[in-house]
Amino acid sequence: MGKSQRSIINYQLSTINYRPLLGVLLLLLVLGAAPLRAQDAQPSPVERLTITGTSAESLPAIEVRLYGRDAQGNPLDLARETLTIQHGGQPVGPINYQGAHRTGTLTIFLIDIPTGVAGQLPALQEAINQYASPGNMMEQVDYTAVYEITPSQPVELLAPTNFHNSVRNLFAEPLAPVAGATALYDSTLSVLENSANLRPNPDMPVHLVLMTDGTDALSRATGDDVSRRAAELGIPIHTIWLENSDIGNAAPGQSYLAGLAAATGGVAVQLNNAAELPLIWNRIAGFRDQARIRYQAINLDGGTFAVNVALADRPWITADSQVTIPFNIPSVLIDLPPESRTLSLPNLEEPVRLRLKTQVSWLDGEQRSIEAAQLIVNNDTARPFEIPVASLNEFVAEVNNLVYGNNTLEVVVLDSQGMRATSPTVLLTVNEGRRDVPSTLDGGNQFARFLAQLFTFLLVAALIGGGLFILWQRGVFAGLLGKREGGRRRSRRRGGPTTTITDAAPVAGTVSQPTAVAGYLDVLESVSRMETPIPLHGTLIRIGRSPAQCEVAFENDITMSRLHANLQREGADYRLFDENSTSGTFVNERQVPEYGIQLVDGDEIHLGAVHLRYRRA
């Protein structure tokens, strides 16, 4: 190549604009690196699903009980999550959320009380008593245990108990501080390893509340050993930092406790900031209920099968278990068409007669006898309806525990082998209004009710007619007519006005009596100026920002939707439902699921930035 040709090429290269080419190259590098970054990203060890039980008693559906938590340790609302399930390595059919299963929790308080924290012991005792009280620990459902850290190993101060008074009695005599250094890490590891033996129910989640100054000079284990083991066991460690007057620099201990809580999905607070303690109590209460998920296997067969459950949008959050399906297990179905699952009733004071049909079969195809059967309504196992076995295929049940709104129906059978089976749940919606029961569901009392009403009407009409006839025979009406005519004649003779004089006294205006107050809403926080408390009347109360759509309107609270939520009367209380609001509806910091939450006295409600408290009348 000659010198002139090289000059031309160099000139052409110097005139090329490389910036667009560099931009394209950089974009390709970023796109190529994105999958690598996704592969390298490690999910948080905090987020997980935990399967606590599986059951084949609801064939053809299989039930899984589980709970989960996100990367910050908050409970997952599995009613709103999309799940993927594999049964025996194969995808399954329809997946349905069946409501909550109340399991309760075990909370272990591990307290570290050297002499330097003696001044905080009254506040420490008060904090534990605060948890073991109504509204935080649910008596006879949740359990509480207390252990003390010593120089060698933890000492049990209170074995797991589900009674508030048992915890209060522990502090009948004040705690005494421990002289000398204590083994924080060794004691915490010991409690973690023993936690499975402390649980009264193996399905019960465990939470560890560590109350300490965060320092340790005796343990053979390290702080990393504690967080690693807690993460492996899935036990959150909530930390409450105590101020030790004997330690000059408290920052390392407090920093360690904050890191320990974050690494295990717990909450870190300071004891001298008592307002933050409910953050821990509310977090623990969020794991009291577990989700019941039912799915149908594509090819149902007997045997033991692996079950894998994962979140569809975060597949790394997963859990594994197995389910055993006996070859001779029965299955029972309630045969009720979808169009017959809604009815209206004027009141729920009297039992309702419902006609139901069922189908019973066995997985191996053999026909066996049924020894006992029950209808369970709204999970009320204390008041089942005993179904006559001879009429199990079609029976009439007197149901006295329906509520307005959604109701659940399940049939439980026991066959001649002693095997138990529960039908898939049927949802029955009851509206308040004029009696309207689908013919396929009506238990046959509608005609009898009509005859009773007709007989009552005829009897009242006969009594009124008989009374009027007796008065007519005695000349009462003639006397009244004579008085009226005489009154008119006297009026004319006196030259008075010719207006008609009425004989009857004026009737006082009828005033409609207000519906009895069923409850109140205390307004704790709101931009809108509202009178508080707000009395609750009636069976349906809409709450939101729009006065045109709601009975209770917070006009100035832009964090609320126009129609945000509604309260539906159920017995003596209300059930709270979210109306697809933008910011969501929360009760005691738990998001209201699709099927609503039954309110109890003292529940705190958040609707956007509005903070309310529900009180029974």
Side-chain angles (χ1 to χ4, degrees):
M1 182 181 299
K3 182 177 180 181
S4 60
Q5 290 177 326
R6 287 197 299 270
S7 300
I8 294 172
I9 292 173
N10 291 335
Y11 172 77
Q12 290 175 342
L13 290 175
S14 65
T15 59
I16 296 176
N17 187 355
Y18 292 99
R19 291 183 179 178
L21 295 177
L22 290 174
V24 172
L25 182 60
L26 181 60
L27 178 62
L28 292 175
L29 289 173
V30 170
L31 293 177
L36 295 177
R37 287 199 306 270
Q39 293 175 1
D40 294 338
Q42 294 295 324
S44 167
V46 172
E47 50 189 352
R48 64 168 57 208
L49 289 176
T50 300
I51 298 175
T52 59
T54 60
S55 171
E57 290 185 354
S58 301
L59 289 184
I62 296 169
E63 182 168 302
V64 180
R65 293 187 300 275
L66 71 164
Y67 65 93
R69 62 187 189 187
D70 62 17
Q72 288 72 45
N74 298 301
L76 291 173
D77 184 359
L78 297 179
R80 295 179 176 271
E81 297 284 351
T82 301
L83 302 177
T84 62
I85 299 180
Q86 289 197 338
H87 174 93
Q90 300 296 323
V92 301
I95 301 172
N96 297 304
Y97 176 75
Q98 296 293 312
H101 172 66
R102 178 145 291 176
T103 308
T105 59
L106 169 62
T107 301
I108 305 173
F109 286 89
L110 182 57
I111 61 177
D112 186 11
I113 50 175
T115 54
V117 302
Q120 291 190 286
L121 290 185
L124 180 149
Q125 295 172 176
E126 177 57 30
I128 298 176
N129 277 329
Q130 183 188 93
Y131 171 72
S133 61
N136 294 319
M137 168 188 166
M138 183 173 289
E139 199 165 40
Q140 300 189 55
V141 175
D142 299 322
Y143 282 77
T144 301
V146 181
Y147 279 76
E148 181 181 350
I149 296 174
T150 69
S152 56
Q153 60 184 0
V155 174
E156 180 182 270
L157 300 183
L158 179 67
T161 177
N162 57 355
F163 291 100
H164 299 151
N165 282 337
S166 297
V167 181
R168 295 191 189 99
N169 293 338
L170 170 65
F171 303 119
E173 295 185 6
L175 294 171
V178 177
T182 53
L184 171 62
Y185 306 145
D186 287 349
S187 296
T188 306
L189 279 175
S190 176
V191 171
L192 289 172
E193 298 295 347
N194 194 39
S195 60
N197 299 324
L198 295 176
R199 287 182 296 182
N201 179 349
D203 300 342
M204 184 176 286
V206 177
H207 291 254
L208 180 60
V209 179
L210 188 59
M211 309 178 78
T212 175
D213 60 20
T215 60
D216 188 348
L218 296 180
S219 293
R220 290 173 293 177
T222 66
D224 290 339
D225 295 334
V226 173
S227 58
R228 187 182 306 110
R229 187 55 178 151
E232 292 171 354
L233 296 173
I235 298 178
I237 300 181
H238 309 283
T239 60
I240 301 178
W241 180 69
L242 308 181
E243 188 173 355
N244 191 331
S245 60
D246 294 339
I247 299 177
N249 184 9
Q254 187 175 0
S255 176
Y256 167 70
L257 294 180
L260 178 61
T264 60
V267 177
V269 302
Q270 299 179 33
L271 182 62
N272 57 14
N273 193 353
E276 294 183 348
L277 290 174
L279 296 176
I280 298 179
W281 316 150
N282 293 337
R283 175 69 64 83
I284 294 173
F287 291 90
R288 181 178 294 132
D289 296 334
Q290 299 178 13
R292 295 170 55 223
I293 306 295
R294 285 183 181 172
Y295 68 87
Q296 293 190 13
I298 300 300
N299 298 311
L300 191 61
D301 198 2
T304 298
F305 301 91
V307 177
N308 173 267
V309 183
L311 300 187
D313 60 344
R314 287 161 288 173
W316 60 84
I317 305 181
T318 182
D320 294 295
S321 186
Q322 61 182 25
V323 61
T324 299
I325 306 175
F327 289 92
N328 58 342
I329 191 171
S331 68
V332 55
L333 292 172
I334 300 177
D335 185 9
L336 186 63
E339 63 272 13
S340 300
R341 299 183 183 186
T342 301
L343 65 152
S344 297
L345 296 171
N347 63 73
L348 298 175
E349 297 174 359
E350 299 178 0
V352 181
R353 290 169 58 87
L354 301 179
R355 183 179 302 277
L356 298 170
K357 297 180 180 179
T358 65
Q359 299 175 4
V360 182
S361 61
W362 283 261
L363 187 59
D364 58 8
E366 296 288 334
Q367 290 298 312
R368 299 175 177 86
S369 61
I370 298 296
E371 300 298 321
Q374 292 179 333
L375 174 67
I376 307 295
V377 179
N378 291 329
N379 297 317
D380 189 357
T381 55
R383 294 186 295 172
F385 175 80
E386 300 292 340
I387 305 172
V389 174
S391 57
L392 178 59
N393 291 340
E394 183 173 353
F395 62 93
V396 174
E398 285 200 354
V399 180
N400 56 7
N401 56 344
L402 291 175
V403 297
Y404 287 122
N406 292 331
N407 298 260
T408 59
L409 305 181
E410 293 177 316
V411 170
V412 182
V413 299
L414 186 71
D415 70 2
S416 56
Q417 312 167 96
M419 301 195 72
R420 183 177 182 271
T422 304
S423 70
T425 301
V426 167
L427 200 64
L428 189 67
T429 302
V430 180
N431 299 318
E432 185 176 13
R434 183 171 169 270
R435 191 177 194 278
D436 183 13
V437 181
S439 58
T440 54
L441 188 63
D442 192 356
N445 60 342
Q446 189 170 5
F447 182 68
R449 187 185 301 272
F450 170 75
L451 290 179
Q453 292 175 345
L454 179 62
F455 175 77
T456 302
F457 173 77
L458 294 176
L459 179 61
V460 172
L463 291 174
I464 293 174
L468 293 175
F469 179 75
I470 293 173
L471 293 175
W472 177 76
Q473 279 192 328
R474 294 183 176 180
V476 173
F477 296 119
L480 290 175
L481 290 173
K483 290 180 180 179
R484 176 171 295 183
E485 289 300 322
R488 287 173 179 169
R489 285 193 293 270
R490 285 192 298 273
S491 174
R492 292 192 186 98
R493 281 197 298 270
R494 291 170 183 157
T498 58
T499 55
T500 302
I501 301 174
T502 59
D503 297 315
V507 179
T510 302
V511 179
S512 61
Q513 297 298 322
T515 307
V517 176
Y520 298 91
L521 290 177
D522 293 328
V523 181
L524 304 181
E525 292 182 34
S526 171
V527 175
S528 305
R529 297 185 64 181
M530 304 288 289
E531 292 186 4
T532 184
I534 301 172
L536 303 178
H537 306 273
T539 58
L540 177 63
I541 300 168
R542 291 173 286 263
I543 307 173
R545 197 175 72 249
S546 170
Q549 301 182 52
C550 305
E551 286 78 16
V552 178
F554 295 83
E555 298 182 54
N556 299 324
D557 285 273
I558 60 174
T559 59
M560 295 184 69
S561 301
R562 286 189 293 272
L563 175 57
H564 197 104
N566 73 73
L567 293 167
Q568 293 187 19
R569 181 79 175 272
E570 292 188 2
D573 289 300
Y574 284 90
R575 179 175 286 271
L576 178 64
F577 293 88
D578 181 72
E579 291 285 356
N580 295 319
S581 63
T582 302
S583 57
T585 302
F586 297 81
V587 175
N588 298 330
E589 297 192 356
R590 176 188 175 193
Q591 189 160 15
V592 173
E594 184 178 326
Y595 54 88
I597 284 182
Q598 182 81 21
L599 296 178
V600 298
D601 189 60
D603 277 349
E604 296 200 4
I605 304 168
H606 283 87
L607 308 150
V610 174
H611 185 188
L612 308 172
R613 179 185 292 116
Y614 170 73
R615 290 191 292 112
R616 295 185 68 180

